[in-house]
Short mmCIF file of all heavy atoms in Angstrom, two decimals:
data_model
loop_
_atom_site.label_atom_id
_atom_site.label_comp_id
_atom_site.label_asym_id
_atom_site.label_seq_id
_atom_site.Cartn_x
_atom_site.Cartn_y
_atom_site.Cartn_z
N LEU B 34 87.54 114.73 81.16
CA LEU B 34 88.51 114.14 82.15
C LEU B 34 88.41 112.60 82.06
O LEU B 34 89.47 111.96 81.99
CB LEU B 34 88.22 114.65 83.53
CG LEU B 34 89.08 113.97 84.62
CD1 LEU B 34 90.56 114.22 84.52
CD2 LEU B 34 88.54 114.54 85.98
N ALA B 35 87.24 112.00 82.19
CA ALA B 35 87.09 110.60 82.14
C ALA B 35 87.59 110.03 80.88
O ALA B 35 88.27 108.90 80.93
CB ALA B 35 85.64 110.26 82.34
N ARG B 36 87.28 110.67 79.70
CA ARG B 36 87.80 110.09 78.46
C ARG B 36 89.34 110.14 78.42
O ARG B 36 90.04 109.21 78.02
CB ARG B 36 87.26 110.98 77.33
CG ARG B 36 87.66 110.53 75.92
CD ARG B 36 87.22 111.32 74.75
NE ARG B 36 87.40 112.71 74.95
CZ ARG B 36 88.51 113.46 74.71
NH1 ARG B 36 89.56 112.77 74.35
NH2 ARG B 36 88.58 114.74 74.94
N LEU B 37 90.00 111.28 78.85
CA LEU B 37 91.37 111.37 78.87
C LEU B 37 91.98 110.33 79.80
O LEU B 37 93.05 109.68 79.54
CB LEU B 37 91.87 112.80 79.32
CG LEU B 37 91.63 113.87 78.29
CD1 LEU B 37 91.93 115.18 78.99
CD2 LEU B 37 92.63 113.77 77.06
N MET B 38 91.48 110.13 80.97
CA MET B 38 91.89 109.13 81.93
C MET B 38 91.86 107.77 81.33
O MET B 38 92.80 106.90 81.43
CB MET B 38 91.14 109.27 83.21
CG MET B 38 91.40 110.41 84.01
SD MET B 38 90.42 110.61 85.50
CE MET B 38 90.87 109.16 86.40
N ALA B 39 90.70 107.40 80.58
CA ALA B 39 90.61 106.05 79.98
C ALA B 39 91.56 105.89 78.95
O ALA B 39 92.21 104.85 78.79
CB ALA B 39 89.16 105.94 79.47
N GLU B 40 91.80 106.98 78.12
CA GLU B 40 92.76 106.90 77.01
C GLU B 40 94.23 106.62 77.43
O GLU B 40 94.98 105.98 76.79
CB GLU B 40 92.71 108.16 76.21
CG GLU B 40 91.58 108.33 75.33
CD GLU B 40 91.48 109.67 74.56
OE1 GLU B 40 92.48 110.45 74.65
OE2 GLU B 40 90.51 109.91 73.97
N HIS B 41 94.49 107.07 78.66
CA HIS B 41 95.90 107.01 79.19
C HIS B 41 96.06 105.98 80.29
O HIS B 41 97.10 105.99 80.92
CB HIS B 41 96.37 108.39 79.53
CG HIS B 41 96.39 109.33 78.41
ND1 HIS B 41 97.08 109.15 77.28
CD2 HIS B 41 95.62 110.38 78.18
CE1 HIS B 41 96.77 110.19 76.31
NE2 HIS B 41 95.88 110.99 76.92
N GLY B 42 94.97 105.32 80.62
CA GLY B 42 95.10 104.23 81.64
C GLY B 42 95.28 104.76 83.09
O GLY B 42 95.93 104.16 83.84
N ILE B 43 94.72 105.93 83.35
CA ILE B 43 94.79 106.46 84.70
C ILE B 43 93.46 106.21 85.39
O ILE B 43 92.46 106.59 84.87
CB ILE B 43 95.05 108.07 84.57
CG1 ILE B 43 96.46 108.25 83.89
CG2 ILE B 43 95.16 108.60 85.91
CD1 ILE B 43 96.73 109.69 83.50
N SER B 44 93.60 105.64 86.62
CA SER B 44 92.37 105.39 87.36
C SER B 44 92.21 106.57 88.36
O SER B 44 93.08 107.44 88.58
CB SER B 44 92.46 104.10 88.18
OG SER B 44 93.40 104.26 89.23
N PHE B 45 90.91 106.54 88.97
CA PHE B 45 90.66 107.71 89.95
C PHE B 45 91.56 107.54 91.18
O PHE B 45 91.78 108.40 91.92
CB PHE B 45 89.21 107.65 90.29
CG PHE B 45 88.41 108.48 89.25
CD1 PHE B 45 87.78 107.81 88.32
CD2 PHE B 45 88.42 109.84 89.27
CE1 PHE B 45 87.08 108.62 87.33
CE2 PHE B 45 87.83 110.65 88.36
CZ PHE B 45 87.09 110.02 87.37
N LEU B 46 92.02 106.23 91.40
CA LEU B 46 92.86 106.07 92.58
C LEU B 46 94.26 106.67 92.30
O LEU B 46 94.96 106.98 93.31
CB LEU B 46 93.08 104.52 92.83
CG LEU B 46 91.81 103.81 93.19
CD1 LEU B 46 92.06 102.27 93.28
CD2 LEU B 46 91.16 104.25 94.46
N ASP B 47 94.66 106.86 91.06
CA ASP B 47 95.94 107.35 90.72
C ASP B 47 95.85 108.88 90.29
O ASP B 47 96.92 109.41 89.99
CB ASP B 47 96.48 106.58 89.44
CG ASP B 47 96.66 105.19 89.91
OD1 ASP B 47 97.02 104.86 90.98
OD2 ASP B 47 96.55 104.37 88.83
N ILE B 48 94.69 109.40 90.36
CA ILE B 48 94.57 110.81 89.80
C ILE B 48 95.39 111.79 90.56
O ILE B 48 95.96 112.74 89.99
CB ILE B 48 93.10 111.26 89.76
CG1 ILE B 48 92.99 112.54 88.91
CG2 ILE B 48 92.45 111.41 91.02
CD1 ILE B 48 93.14 112.39 87.45
N SER B 49 95.50 111.76 91.87
CA SER B 49 96.24 112.67 92.70
C SER B 49 97.76 112.70 92.23
O SER B 49 98.29 113.76 92.08
CB SER B 49 96.06 112.53 94.15
OG SER B 49 96.57 111.35 94.58
N THR B 50 98.32 111.53 92.01
CA THR B 50 99.66 111.43 91.62
C THR B 50 99.87 111.96 90.23
O THR B 50 100.80 112.79 89.85
CB THR B 50 100.11 109.94 91.54
OG1 THR B 50 99.99 109.46 92.93
CG2 THR B 50 101.61 109.86 91.11
N SER B 51 98.92 111.71 89.40
CA SER B 51 98.90 112.21 87.96
C SER B 51 98.79 113.75 88.03
O SER B 51 99.32 114.40 87.06
CB SER B 51 97.81 111.58 87.11
OG SER B 51 97.98 110.17 87.02
N VAL B 52 97.98 114.35 88.85
CA VAL B 52 97.86 115.76 88.92
C VAL B 52 99.03 116.41 89.42
O VAL B 52 99.58 117.44 89.00
CB VAL B 52 96.60 116.11 89.55
CG1 VAL B 52 96.52 117.66 89.89
CG2 VAL B 52 95.35 115.73 88.87
N GLN B 53 99.57 115.84 90.52
CA GLN B 53 100.77 116.41 91.14
C GLN B 53 102.07 116.28 90.42
O GLN B 53 102.95 117.10 90.40
CB GLN B 53 100.93 115.83 92.59
CG GLN B 53 99.86 116.18 93.49
CD GLN B 53 99.94 115.44 94.87
OE1 GLN B 53 100.82 114.65 95.11
NE2 GLN B 53 99.09 115.72 95.72
N HIS B 54 102.23 115.17 89.70
CA HIS B 54 103.41 114.89 88.89
C HIS B 54 103.02 114.34 87.50
O HIS B 54 103.24 113.12 87.20
CB HIS B 54 104.24 113.74 89.65
CG HIS B 54 104.60 114.08 91.15
ND1 HIS B 54 105.41 115.05 91.36
CD2 HIS B 54 104.06 113.65 92.24
CE1 HIS B 54 105.54 115.21 92.65
NE2 HIS B 54 104.62 114.36 93.26
N PRO B 55 102.51 115.23 86.66
CA PRO B 55 102.14 114.78 85.31
C PRO B 55 103.37 114.30 84.50
O PRO B 55 104.31 114.93 84.58
CB PRO B 55 101.40 116.04 84.68
CG PRO B 55 101.98 117.19 85.46
CD PRO B 55 102.25 116.63 86.80
N VAL B 56 103.12 113.32 83.69
CA VAL B 56 104.27 112.72 82.94
C VAL B 56 103.74 112.96 81.39
O VAL B 56 102.74 112.45 81.05
CB VAL B 56 104.43 111.21 83.15
CG1 VAL B 56 105.48 110.68 82.17
CG2 VAL B 56 104.84 111.08 84.61
N GLY B 57 104.58 113.68 80.72
CA GLY B 57 104.31 113.88 79.25
C GLY B 57 103.04 114.80 79.05
O GLY B 57 102.43 115.36 79.89
N LEU B 58 102.90 115.07 77.75
CA LEU B 58 101.72 115.90 77.41
C LEU B 58 100.41 115.27 77.82
O LEU B 58 99.49 115.99 78.15
CB LEU B 58 101.75 116.06 75.84
CG LEU B 58 102.81 116.96 75.31
CD1 LEU B 58 102.81 117.05 73.84
CD2 LEU B 58 102.77 118.39 75.90
N GLU B 59 100.33 113.92 77.78
CA GLU B 59 99.06 113.37 78.15
C GLU B 59 98.73 113.57 79.68
O GLU B 59 97.64 113.81 80.04
CB GLU B 59 99.18 111.79 77.97
CG GLU B 59 99.28 111.39 76.47
CD GLU B 59 100.83 111.38 76.03
OE1 GLU B 59 101.66 111.51 76.99
OE2 GLU B 59 101.12 111.19 74.95
N GLY B 60 99.79 113.48 80.39
CA GLY B 60 99.63 113.71 81.88
C GLY B 60 99.34 115.19 82.19
O GLY B 60 98.49 115.43 83.03
N VAL B 61 99.89 116.09 81.39
CA VAL B 61 99.51 117.46 81.60
C VAL B 61 98.05 117.78 81.19
O VAL B 61 97.27 118.45 81.88
CB VAL B 61 100.49 118.47 80.75
CG1 VAL B 61 99.92 119.78 80.73
CG2 VAL B 61 101.83 118.32 81.35
N ALA B 62 97.61 117.12 80.10
CA ALA B 62 96.19 117.21 79.77
C ALA B 62 95.29 116.72 80.68
O ALA B 62 94.22 117.41 81.10
CB ALA B 62 95.90 116.48 78.35
N VAL B 63 95.52 115.64 81.38
CA VAL B 63 94.72 115.01 82.39
C VAL B 63 94.72 115.96 83.65
O VAL B 63 93.70 116.27 84.21
CB VAL B 63 95.16 113.68 82.78
CG1 VAL B 63 94.44 113.24 84.04
CG2 VAL B 63 94.93 112.64 81.62
N ALA B 64 95.89 116.50 83.99
CA ALA B 64 95.99 117.43 85.10
C ALA B 64 95.27 118.68 84.94
O ALA B 64 94.52 119.08 85.86
CB ALA B 64 97.43 117.74 85.46
N MET B 65 95.31 119.19 83.73
CA MET B 65 94.54 120.42 83.48
C MET B 65 93.10 120.14 83.42
O MET B 65 92.25 120.99 83.99
CB MET B 65 94.97 121.01 82.08
CG MET B 65 96.35 121.57 82.08
SD MET B 65 96.96 122.08 80.47
CE MET B 65 95.80 123.33 80.13
N ALA B 66 92.59 118.97 82.91
CA ALA B 66 91.15 118.73 82.88
C ALA B 66 90.73 118.46 84.42
O ALA B 66 89.60 118.98 84.69
CB ALA B 66 90.88 117.46 82.11
N TYR B 67 91.45 117.82 85.12
CA TYR B 67 91.08 117.66 86.56
C TYR B 67 91.01 118.98 87.26
O TYR B 67 90.01 119.17 88.05
CB TYR B 67 92.13 116.75 87.24
CG TYR B 67 91.78 116.48 88.81
CD1 TYR B 67 90.85 115.57 89.11
CD2 TYR B 67 92.36 117.31 89.67
CE1 TYR B 67 90.55 115.43 90.44
CE2 TYR B 67 92.07 117.12 91.02
CZ TYR B 67 91.12 116.23 91.35
OH TYR B 67 90.74 116.05 92.74
N GLU B 68 91.91 119.81 87.06
CA GLU B 68 91.88 121.11 87.81
C GLU B 68 90.74 121.98 87.28
O GLU B 68 90.03 122.56 88.15
CB GLU B 68 93.22 121.86 87.50
CG GLU B 68 94.36 121.21 88.28
CD GLU B 68 95.71 121.79 88.02
OE1 GLU B 68 95.80 122.74 87.17
OE2 GLU B 68 96.69 121.28 88.60
N GLN B 69 90.35 121.91 86.03
CA GLN B 69 89.15 122.63 85.55
C GLN B 69 87.93 122.01 86.18
O GLN B 69 86.98 122.77 86.60
CB GLN B 69 88.98 122.52 84.04
CG GLN B 69 89.92 123.37 83.20
CD GLN B 69 89.66 123.23 81.81
OE1 GLN B 69 89.51 122.19 81.20
NE2 GLN B 69 89.56 124.34 81.09
#
Side-chain angles (χ1 to χ4, degrees):
L34 173 62
R36 181 181 49 80
L37 287 170
M38 290 174 63
E40 286 175 5
H41 304 295
I43 299 171
S44 73
F45 278 100
L46 297 174
D47 300 327
I48 192 71
S49 64
T50 301
S51 298
V52 169
Q53 292 173 0
H54 306 287
V56 176
L58 292 177
E59 300 86 7
V61 171
V63 170
M65 289 174 62
Y67 178 82
E68 289 171 2
Q69 283 183 314

